Structure formats: C-alpha cells, structure tokens
Amino acid sequence: MSILSKLSFKDQAFKLRENAILDATTAILRDKGFDLMTMDDVASAVGISKPSLYKHFKSKEDLVGEAMIRLIDGAADFLAQLDKNLQPIEILSAMLEWALRVRLEGGMPFLPSTSAHVREMLMRNLKYVGRVLKLNHQLEKLVAKAQKSGDLDASLPSDVILFSYYSRTCDPAVEFLQRYSKLDNEQIIKHMLQVCFAGLGTKQPH
Amino acid sequence: MSILSKLSFKDQAFKLRENAILDATTAILRDKGFDLMTMDDVASAVGISKPSLYKHFKSKEDLVGEAMIRLIDGAADFLAQLDKNLQPIEILSAMLEWALRVRLEGGMPFLPSTSAHVREMLMRNLKYVGRVLKLNHQLEKLVAKAQKSGDLDASLPSDVILFSYYSRTCDPAVEFLQRYSKLDNEQIIKHMLQVCFAGLGTKQPH
DNA sequence: GTCTATAAAATGATAGAC
DNA sequence: GTCTATCATTTTATAGAC
C-alpha cells in the first residue's frame, strides 16, 4: 500500500501541490538565494496566488525550512539505503558524490553556507535542526571510523574533516567549473572527489 | 612624499572619509551579505547621512564594487611584495594563508562566491573585472609552473585547481571552525592549508 | 481554499534648504 | 557637502468576497 493511498483524494491533491510548491522553491532558491526569492516568485512559478501559498506555508521562513528539510531527508534516505558492507570512507565518498550529482542536476541550493542570516533562521527551525543533528551524528561516526582505519588523515582534528567535508557539497568551484570549463558533470564530480580526499598537491608524508 | 601630501587638506579629508565608508561597508558585507546590507546601515555606521553617502558613491552597486576592488588590490599588493625567489607552490600557499588570515581577522567578505546575482553585478563593473583578470592571470601562471614542477597534481585540469584554490579562500569551513571548534586562528589556517593541498585522506598514488 | 485588493514596513535614491 | 524630509518601489503578510 503506497503512502498516498492512506489519504483521501483531496489530501492527495494537497500533498501533490505542496510538493510542487517545494520544487519551485528549491529551484528559485538555487537561482536567486533566500534574500532575493520572493513569495510572489514562488506563487507565480506554481501558478497559484500568494494568499493560497500562505495557506500552505505560514511564512517565507517556514516554506524555506520545509524545502531544506526535504533536502536533508533525501540525503538521509540515500545514506540509509547504501550497502552496509561498504567501508566508512566509501560511504563518505558515495554521499559526497550523491550530493554533487544532485546539485549539478539542478536540485540543491545548500543555503546554510550562504549567509549567517539564513543559517540563524534555519537554526531556529527545530524540525530542521533535529534532522541535521541526526545526519551529522551518523557522519561523525563514519569520520571517526575512517580516521581509525587510516583512510582519513588521523592527524587532522575531526572537526576540520567534518566541516571541510560539508563545505565540499556546496563548493563554489562546482558552479564555476559547470559554467566556465568544458568538463561534463561526471568529470566534475570525479575531480571534486579527488580534490576533496587527495588535495591539490602531490602529498608528501607528514 | 606620501601619496596624501599631493592632495589638498580638503581632498585628504575626503579620501579618509571614503576609506572609513569602505571599512564600514566591508564589515557590514561580512556580517550581512550584499542583499541585507542597506545604505542606511552604512551611513549610520560611518556617522553620516544617507544623502552624504550618495555624494561619495553613486549607488549601492558602486559602493560594493569599490570595496571589492580595494580587497583585490590588497591581494595584488601582497603578491607583488613577496620574495621573488619563492617557488610557485610557496607563493600560492602564502597567498592563501594571507587570504585566510585577513578573513579570520574580520576583513574579507569574498562576495563572488555568495550568489549568482552578486557575481553578475560585479562582472558588470569593468574596473573590478580588470583587477580580477590581472590577478587571475598571475595565479594561472603560478599554477601551471607548480604543476610542471610536480608540486601540484598534474593529472588535474588547471581549471579545477584554480577554481578549487579560489574556493578555499571563502571556504565556509573557516567560519564553522571559528565558531564551533576550539581551534585558534593560526591552527585553523594551518589545517585549512593542509586540507587544501593534501586533502582529507591519506593519499594513495595514482 | 482560491482569488482581488490592500495594508504595513523596509529600502534605494533624491529634492531642496542651508 | 551635509542635512531633513520625502518619493517610489518592492515585498511580506492579510482582509474579505466568493
């Protein structure tokens, strides 16, 4: 039984419309960012009026929060569905690869890196913070294991590894390469993974 | 003879006030970003009225452009003053170290990474674009030399190296570490340089 | 629940006195 | 060149009809 079949037809339509609103929100956030995205933009992209939009989401902050939550849920689902026999470093690499691919295909705005203002807004959203903390906890454990096994540099503080890892998912180099280089998406992903884990240089032992 | 002594006292005061305006603009950009920075913010931070501010800079775009130009000029000055006997990889490392230190000490907003909107605005500023292209040309040559000498990974496209290098100057991991870790600024710089050139992993040969 | 119309507030930019 | 006062516009959010 699908998740939708539990709901009445009316509620199904409602859910579908909410998803359409979140799709439009994601696309506009990616193109314009939070500050420049207006509720008029979203309403007209979906083809509804602004008061109707406010029936679904009580504020701009709420709307963006829900869009970000859907994003985090996608990442958590991907992680949950990975082969449990993979090494921690392989899981981390696969997660980053997934995030880069989603982003290159036009899905992901990754707002938290954008500005302190947006970050604070999201941090006030308890539902969002809960999802983030849970995912962060899983990734922390993977980083610790990979450091112990020698796949990640054990001389670096785990904070440095984790924050740098997150930053790679929203690295502006991706957009620059997509716009100004002749590399295709798969080549960009391959090189970004290489740069993340092996760096720009030819490593000397330390 | 200093640069200021060529000017009348009145013009000196004018220049000093412009510098104070640019200082305030830089600080506000760092804290709030372009979209949320208002001309009222800048005027009251400097202690002048908004119309006075507009006598110095004809628009918000112009003001931010000049602040960014001053930033690029600082980088170019630092590069020009480096020891000419340094290896290209040492110069690149020193430049990144300088940029990270400036940023950690509260100076640098590094807008170009922020949003497509801001990037487009700056790209319309010919004075700014000129400075950026000149600096970019110098860094391109350093990257090519470092790849040739084997200090930077020659198997990576130079585009990938250059864009990734730029991205490290505005890596959000820096702010996360400054806010949420117990590392001091110098430790953060050391680790960020390590991550940039050597990556997160323990490199296997390729 | 959807719409038209509008309130309320913020903000980029300027007029005009001094 | 600096100020007070103000315009014009944008934008979040809502009232009220249907």
Side-chain angles (χ1 to χ4, degrees), chain A residues 37-39 50-51 54 59-60:
Chain A
M37 181 194 97
T38 73
M39 296 300 266
K50 201 159 43 165
Y54 273 94
S59 68
K60 182 180 175 182

Side-chain angles (χ1 to χ4, degrees), chain A residues 21-153:
Chain A
I21 294 173
L22 292 177
D23 287 342
T25 302
T26 301
I28 296 170
L29 283 175
R30 183 193 61 227
D31 294 339
K32 312 178 65 166
F34 177 79
D35 298 326
L36 263 59
M37 181 194 97
T38 73
M39 296 300 266
D40 278 306
D41 289 337
V42 177
S44 58
V46 182
I48 59 175
S49 73
K50 201 159 43 165
S52 299
L53 176 56
Y54 273 94
K55 295 285 180 188
H56 288 270
F57 299 94
K58 71 174 193 298
S59 68
K60 182 180 175 182
E61 297 201 358
D62 181 49
L63 171 59
V64 172
E66 291 297 328
M68 293 301 296
I69 286 166
R70 204 179 55 156
L71 206 62
I72 301 288
D73 285 347
D77 288 348
F78 179 81
L79 176 58
Q81 153 269 329
L82 279 177
D83 183 351
K84 293 293 177 276
N85 294 321
L86 290 174
Q87 296 293 313
I89 186 71
E90 293 173 313
I91 297 177
L92 289 168
S93 181
M95 284 284 289
L96 178 54
E97 184 177 337
W98 173 83
L100 290 172
R101 186 166 287 116
V102 168
R103 195 167 143 226
L104 281 165
E105 287 165 0
M108 180 137 32
F110 257 108
L111 289 172
S113 74
T114 303
S115 78
H117 168 242
V118 175
R119 203 158 51 226
E120 280 162 29
M121 178 195 81
L122 288 170
M123 289 305 152
R124 286 193 303 270
N125 186 328
L126 295 184
K127 188 172 165 190
Y128 172 79
V129 170
R131 310 292 175 101
V132 167
L133 285 180
K134 187 176 170 191
L135 184 58
N136 181 63
H137 183 64
Q138 296 177 280
L139 292 172
E140 262 179 346
K141 285 196 302 191
L142 290 169
V143 166
K145 282 187 194 168
Q147 282 188 293
K148 202 162 250 171
S149 71
D151 291 316
L152 284 180
D153 189 338

Side-chain angles (χ1 to χ4, degrees), chain A residues 150 153 171 197-198 200-203, chain B residues 150 153 168 197-198 200-203:
Chain A
D153 189 338
D171 196 316
F197 293 110
L200 300 177
T202 50
K203 182 176 280 189
Chain B
D153 190 337
R168 290 310 169 272
F197 292 110
L200 300 176
T202 49
K203 181 177 283 190

Side-chain angles (χ1 to χ4, degrees), chain B residues 7-8 33 38 42 45-46 66 72 90-91 103 108 118 124 134 147 158 162 171 190:
Chain B
L7 305 169
S8 74
T38 73
V42 177
V46 181
E66 290 297 326
I72 300 288
E90 293 174 312
I91 297 177
R103 194 165 145 226
M108 180 136 34
V118 175
R124 287 195 300 270
K134 187 176 171 191
Q147 283 188 292
S158 56
L162 201 60
D171 197 315
K190 187 187 77 179

Side-chain angles (χ1 to χ4, degrees), chain A residues 96 100 164 168 171 173-174 177 183 187-201 203, chain B residues 152-153 155-168 171 192-201 203 206:
Chain A
L96 178 54
L100 290 172
S164 292
R168 290 309 170 272
D171 196 316
V174 171
L177 288 172
L183 302 171
Q187 289 173 314
I188 292 175
I189 291 172
K190 187 188 76 180
H191 291 311
M192 293 302 295
L193 289 171
Q194 158 96 8
V195 168
C196 177
F197 293 110
L200 300 177
K203 182 176 280 189
Chain B
L152 285 180
D153 190 337
S155 75
L156 286 170
S158 56
D159 281 352
V160 172
I161 292 185
L162 201 60
F163 289 142
S164 291
Y165 177 78
Y166 290 150
S167 299
R168 290 310 169 272
D171 197 315
M192 293 302 295
L193 288 171
Q194 160 95 10
V195 169
C196 176
F197 292 110
L200 300 176
K203 181 177 283 190
H206 54 274

